[in-house]
Amino acid sequence: MRFAQCSIQSFTAPARLPSFHTCVGVNDERLTPKWYKDQGIELVLGTRVKSVDVRRKTLLTATGETISYKILIIATGARALRLEEFGVDGSNAENVCYLRDLADGTSLVTAIQSSVGGNAVVIGGGYVGMECAASLVINKINVTMVFPEEQCMARLFTPKISTYYEDYYKSKGVKFIKGTVLSSFEKDSNGKVTAVALRDGTHLPTDMVVVGIGIRPNTGLFEGQLTLEKGGIKVNGRMQTSENSVYAVGDVAAFPVKLFGESRRLEHVDSARKTARHAVLAILSAEKTADFDYLPFFYSRVFTLSWQFYGDNVGEVVHYGDFTGSTFGAYWVSKGKLVGSFFEGGTKEEYEAIAKATRLKPTVTDLDELERQGLGFAISVTQQPPPPPLLIRLPSSKLVSEMPIHAWHVTAGVVAAASIAVFAYWYGRRRRRW
């Protein structure tokens, strides 16, 4: 097996942010070059794949080497959007930081170490912005966050949830400037950014800048060769692309989400790991591997906060719990079904309960009652005792079928099947009598 890494990264000088590291396994095991060698994997560093020919099943590297394959797994991920794509120059300054790979992390640590007691501007109010802002505060740097939306984490949070986290960040000294964007940088004679100018006229002196304004999937090598969807590479439930010998996983893959009945491209470490694992299972044991059945999952841990989200944030929202304290949550209900759950400050068992409840998609008929029950609703849904078996008997009273089945799962199909069985039995006896 051969593994080609698109850019050289140092395994001996990792970024040293608290709890921050890359190239790890599911148990935080560091996947060093030695680990790959011990597993019989050829790791190719310091080069990149220049082009791919999926029809001929070949890769061409920047060094001119041609690599043939039987199976190709695309794990190209995504690239961070650069300020230049929005008409702002200055990303090459040493104190303007992005966070996408290990080299970015190392540069960010260097900037932090030289800015302690100073100021930082964080551009963007999403995952990268929120998590980096927390780390900067912990490292004793004054932080101002700038983003065009009306709230932080706008793609995922409701305004009420966002307000809670913004208030918490403010209590830690973070300032928010919303509804505007970066216009330009001011630099000193060495090219270092000294201030940030915003479109609304605000001027912010700064010692460092962190940019987290989104990503774009790395699909360029495969455009015109594979089917694209949702901005990524379309795959089926086995992570196969439109070419059976090519699989795609992680941020670059748009895969079917059974819970939603549509394809999604999810940007999170959990889906990256699980889509990769499923692709390998499908390759090694195709006949034993069912289609991927993933429950979308997002989480974050900053300061003393810890939240988890499962499912989808569509439909009507029901908030519950104490938003002045440290434990609260929300449900999303669409077409009478629970489709999404959020919880802050939960235990392992409580998070498991909202995850299981979201996967079950229970019926919700009373939103006020759902709010009253709060977390208890998820717990009750997942802890209901198994129902008694459903017995189907023939006219002769001989037992035909005995199976555990929930009352709400007794569908017309089951009734029809039982009716057909009874008719067949009756008709067969009549035929024998004739």
Side-chain angles (χ1 to χ4, degrees):
M1 183 182 295
R2 198 168 200 190
F3 177 78
Q5 192 159 291
C6 292
S7 62
I8 187 166
Q9 295 182 344
S10 170
F11 289 85
T12 57
R16 290 181 174 84
L17 286 172
S19 301
F20 175 83
H21 46 268
T22 61
C23 302
V24 296
V26 293
N27 296 315
D28 287 345
E29 176 187 15
R30 291 186 182 276
L31 307 187
T32 63
K34 182 179 183 302
W35 182 91
Y36 284 96
K37 183 178 180 180
D38 291 345
Q39 307 305 314
I41 300 171
E42 182 183 357
L43 179 64
V44 183
L45 299 175
T47 189
R48 63 184 179 85
V49 175
K50 184 177 179 181
S51 64
V52 179
D53 189 326
V54 298
R55 187 175 62 84
R56 292 187 172 88
K57 297 184 179 180
T58 58
L59 313 175
L60 178 64
T61 72
T63 60
E65 181 184 10
T66 297
I67 302 174
S68 299
Y69 65 84
K70 290 184 179 179
I71 298 292
L72 176 66
I73 300 177
I74 303 169
T76 51
R79 63 174 179 83
L81 286 173
R82 311 286 291 185
L83 290 170
E84 283 76 7
E85 297 175 66
F86 298 88
V88 179
D89 295 328
S91 285
N92 58 341
E94 65 179 26
N95 60 337
V96 175
C97 304
Y98 291 82
L99 186 56
R100 190 62 192 171
D101 57 26
L102 187 59
D104 290 339
T106 300
S107 297
L108 179 57
V109 169
T110 300
I112 289 174
Q113 291 171 340
S114 63
S115 302
V116 174
N119 301 314
V121 176
V122 175
I123 307 297
Y127 254 114
V128 169
M130 294 296 285
E131 296 196 349
C132 282
S135 277
L136 293 169
V137 168
I138 290 170
N139 282 278
K140 297 180 172 52
I141 297 175
N142 304 309
V143 179
T144 299
M145 295 188 67
V146 179
F147 47 88
E149 298 84 6
E150 296 180 357
Q151 64 185 73
C152 71
M153 296 290 290
R155 289 171 58 187
L156 184 62
F157 289 172
T158 67
K160 185 171 184 177
I161 294 173
S162 291
T163 297
Y164 176 89
Y165 290 105
E166 288 178 16
D167 288 346
Y168 188 96
Y169 272 56
K170 288 175 185 176
S171 74
K172 298 294 183 180
V174 177
K175 299 180 178 64
F176 289 89
I177 299 179
K178 298 183 281 186
T180 190
V181 295
L182 175 67
S183 177
S184 63
F185 290 129
E186 294 180 13
K187 300 179 183 179
D188 62 17
S189 58
N190 296 317
K192 185 177 180 180
V193 172
T194 58
V196 169
L198 304 183
R199 187 173 293 173
D200 67 358
T202 302
H203 181 271
L204 301 171
T206 191
D207 298 285
M208 64 175 293
V209 178
V210 179
V211 182
I213 53 177
I215 63 172
R216 285 290 182 272
N218 292 316
T219 61
L221 289 170
F222 307 97
E223 291 176 5
Q225 299 190 80
L226 302 176
T227 301
L228 304 184
E229 184 179 63
K230 307 285 185 181
I233 297 173
K234 182 179 181 179
V235 298
N236 61 19
R238 294 170 178 265
M239 300 296 122
Q240 282 177 304
T241 69
S242 50
E243 289 284 339
N244 290 340
S245 61
V246 181
Y247 295 71
V249 300
D251 288 359
V252 77
F255 61 90
V257 178
K258 289 185 177 181
L259 193 70
F260 303 151
E262 65 179 41
S263 290
R264 295 284 178 94
R265 193 183 55 77
L266 302 175
E267 301 168 3
H268 197 270
V269 62
D270 185 71
S271 62
R273 286 175 170 170
K274 288 178 179 175
T275 53
R277 187 179 301 119
H278 196 81
V280 172
L281 289 174
I283 292 168
L284 298 179
S285 303
E287 69 286 350
K288 297 180 181 179
T289 304
D291 284 348
F292 192 42
D293 188 8
Y294 181 67
L295 175 64
F297 170 49
F298 301 91
Y299 70 88
S300 185
R301 293 186 291 270
V302 293
F303 297 120
T304 60
L305 305 173
S306 175
W307 59 261
Q308 295 189 13
F309 173 90
Y310 295 89
D312 203 4
N313 58 342
V314 297
E316 298 181 87
V317 183
V318 174
H319 299 95
Y320 63 89
D322 182 9
F323 275 76
T324 64
S326 58
T327 303
F328 59 89
Y331 293 120
W332 282 259
V333 179
S334 179
K335 298 178 181 179
K337 298 286 186 180
L338 179 72
V339 297
S341 299
F342 169 94
F343 200 64
E344 162 64 45
T347 63
K348 179 175 180 289
E349 293 73 21
E350 289 169 339
Y351 288 136
E352 289 176 349
I354 67 168
K356 290 178 181 177
T358 306
R359 184 176 285 280
L360 288 171
K361 295 181 69 173
T363 298
V364 176
T365 58
D366 189 332
L367 298 182
D368 291 335
E369 178 62 17
L370 180 64
E371 180 181 5
R372 188 191 67 78
Q373 291 188 33
L375 179 65
F377 176 80
I379 293 174
S380 66
V381 166
T382 57
Q383 291 185 348
Q384 289 182 1
L390 174 68
L391 304 182
I392 302 174
R393 295 182 181 276
L394 297 177
S396 63
S397 295
K398 290 183 179 181
L399 183 65
V400 170
S401 174
E402 180 174 332
M403 65 184 73
I405 183 166
H406 294 290
W408 53 83
H409 287 168
V410 182
T411 64
V414 174
V415 174
S419 302
I420 292 170
V422 172
F423 175 78
Y425 177 81
W426 171 80
Y427 183 72
R429 289 178 63 87
R430 286 179 60 86
R431 290 275 294 179
R432 283 195 296 273
R433 284 199 297 269
W434 294 341

